[in-house]
Amino acid sequence: MKECIFCKIIQREIPSTIVFENENLVGFNDINPVAPQHVLFVPKKHLEKIHDMSKDDSLLIGELVYHAKEYARKINLTENGYRLVFNTGRDAGQDVFHIHLHLIGGRIMTWPPG
Ligand code: 5GP
Ligand code: ZN
C-alpha cells in the first residue's frame, strides 16, 4: 500500500528501530512510547485491521502473537507481565490502518483502559 506508514517502515522507506523480523512479520519500537517498552508487531501483508482478517489469516495473526510474547520473554517481561493490544477501528482509537499488535510493558498498568 503506497501511502501506508507501516508498509513504508517494512520497506525501509521511513526509518524506525526494527527489533524483530522474519519472512512474515516485523517488530519495531513505537515512535511515541507509552511505557518503558512499547513495540509494534506488524504483518508484512497489508491488512487494515483485525476486523478484516479472514480465516486464512489466522496462522499469520497467531504467529504475530507468538513472536510478540517471545520478544517479551527476551526483554525480561516474563515475571512482571505486559499488555498486548489490538486497537480495531475508530472507537478503539486505531490511528494507523495496518494491523499492529502493541506490546507494552515495564510499568504497572491500569484497567479499564481509557
Ligand atoms: P494505534 O492507535 O493505531 O493502535 O497505534 C498506532 C501507533 O503507531 C501509535 O502508538 C503511534 O505512536 C505509532 N506510530 C505512528 N506513526 C509511527 C511512525 O512513523 N513510526 C513508529 N515507529 N511508530 C509510529
Ligand atoms: Zn500497510
Side-chain angles (χ1 to χ4, degrees), residues 78-110:
T78 300
E79 189 177 340
N80 288 349
Y82 50 91
R83 188 168 284 174
L84 296 176
V85 177
F86 288 110
N87 291 323
T88 303
R90 187 194 58 194
D91 279 5
Q94 185 176 2
D95 287 327
V96 179
F97 283 82
H98 179 130
I99 286 179
H100 49 283
L101 178 57
H102 294 257
L103 164 61
I104 302 166
R107 66 167 170 82
I108 294 171
M109 283 165 231
T110 57

Side-chain angles (χ1 to χ4, degrees), residues 1 4-7 10 46-47 97-98:
M1 287 288 279
C4 172
I5 302 174
F6 289 175
C7 283
I10 293 161
H46 179 91
L47 291 166
F97 283 82
H98 179 130

